[in-house]
Amino acid sequence: ETGVTQSPTHLIKTRGQQVTLRCSSQSGHNTVSWYQQALGQGPQFIFQYYREEENGRGNFPPRFSGLQFPNYSSELNVNALELDDSALYLCASSLNSHNEQFFGPGTRLTVL
Amino acid sequence: GESVGLHLPTLSVQEGDNSIINCAYSNSASDYFIWYKQESGKGPQFIIDIRSNMDKRQGQRVTVLLNKTVKHLSLQIAATQPGDSAVYFCAEKIAGANSKLTFGKGITLSVRP
């Protein structure tokens, strides 16, 4: 166990809806990174938050947005869901932006 | 032991044999490499890492080798056990960037009893 928790475990939404996924980082970690993992693929970097500020973004459209709170927990929001957004969403926390990342178990999102 | 590149999705080995999983990376600016293990229904789990100023690093039953000349990374697992069955990913990080990790597609390791 990494001490990184995510909620919910599973989620089913319909196309066009909005979703919020949550991540609690490991104690003492100030950095959270979000990844999207499609079935049979490696995780793809969405963005990273370091001390409540976005600190790098991957090749994802603006309808993917995030937030980090003062306790360093984080949210991933996805608007106008599309079928291709169906994936496992992983969050990883690290001590600082350049340190080893510890992954949570992920949230499985299904868009119908 | 058997070796396979990431273009072949599955590696099957006999319990007790050594496993070798290979990975080719494309960005010569990458300076940090990690191997992750992902079991069904779980997030990736850190196995071992290596920085670009090293050629080899050993852990418990695992060894990572880095060949910067040909941009090749390998993970060796000694005395493979059924609990090693999982999907393995190599990941790279580019110097000077944030902690963005770029993952390969992954390979499934299946251990035969």
Side-chain angles (χ1 to χ4, degrees):
Chain A
E1 298 298 327
T2 63
V4 180
T5 61
Q6 292 186 243
S7 63
T9 306
H10 296 87
L11 199 54
I12 299 175
K13 290 285 188 178
T14 56
R15 195 170 48 184
Q17 285 189 310
Q18 179 267 342
V19 68
T20 297
L21 310 181
R22 295 179 175 83
C23 171
S24 291
S25 57
Q26 191 177 112
S27 178
H29 287 187
N30 59 22
T31 302
V32 172
S33 303
W34 285 93
Y35 293 81
Q36 180 195 67
Q37 186 176 23
L39 199 61
Q41 302 292 319
Q44 298 291 311
F45 177 75
I46 303 175
F47 44 56
Q48 181 186 86
Y49 278 84
Y50 170 64
R51 294 187 174 183
E52 303 180 59
E53 297 289 330
E54 187 177 291
N55 183 42
R57 188 180 181 92
N59 189 27
F60 281 81
R63 59 189 185 83
F64 285 77
S65 63
L67 198 60
Q68 187 177 33
F69 299 99
N71 66 356
Y72 302 131
S73 66
S74 178
E75 286 183 355
L76 164 66
N77 298 291
V78 187
N79 294 323
L81 283 167
E82 301 176 359
L83 298 179
D84 285 349
D85 295 334
S86 295
L88 180 68
Y89 288 85
L90 296 160
C91 101
S93 79
S94 52
L95 188 60
N96 279 299
S97 63
H98 296 282
N99 288 92
E100 178 188 338
Q101 297 184 19
F102 296 86
F103 283 84
T107 294
R108 172 71 62 188
L109 172 65
T110 301
V111 182
L112 303 176
Chain B
E2 299 176 45
S3 65
V4 65
L6 280 177
H7 60 285
L8 298 175
T10 304
L11 171 63
S12 180
V13 298
Q14 189 71 39
E15 182 180 355
D17 284 353
N18 297 330
S19 302
I20 301 174
I21 304 172
N22 296 307
C23 173
Y25 66 93
S26 58
N27 196 326
S28 56
S30 294
D31 73 337
Y32 179 55
F33 305 88
I34 311 169
W35 280 101
Y36 284 95
K37 172 187 179 183
Q38 188 173 23
E39 297 173 286
S40 181
K42 297 185 179 180
Q45 176 189 355
F46 173 92
I47 301 173
I48 192 167
D49 60 359
I50 189 167
R51 297 198 179 274
S52 59
N53 61 352
M54 302 173 69
D55 297 323
K56 179 179 179 179
R57 189 154 189 244
Q58 287 184 293
Q60 187 175 16
R61 283 201 307 118
V62 295
T63 301
V64 56
L65 298 176
L66 175 63
N67 185 330
K68 295 181 288 294
T69 302
V70 295
K71 289 188 255 178
H72 184 269
L73 191 69
S74 69
L75 175 69
Q76 300 177 3
I77 305 174
T80 311
Q81 303 170 359
D84 295 326
S85 294
V87 178
Y88 288 79
F89 294 96
C90 66
E92 61 183 293
K93 177 182 174 296
I94 297 172
N98 58 23
S99 287
K100 169 188 173 180
L101 292 170
T102 301
F103 284 81
K105 281 193 173 182
I107 183 166
T108 301
L109 176 65
S110 177
V111 182
R112 304 188 301 272

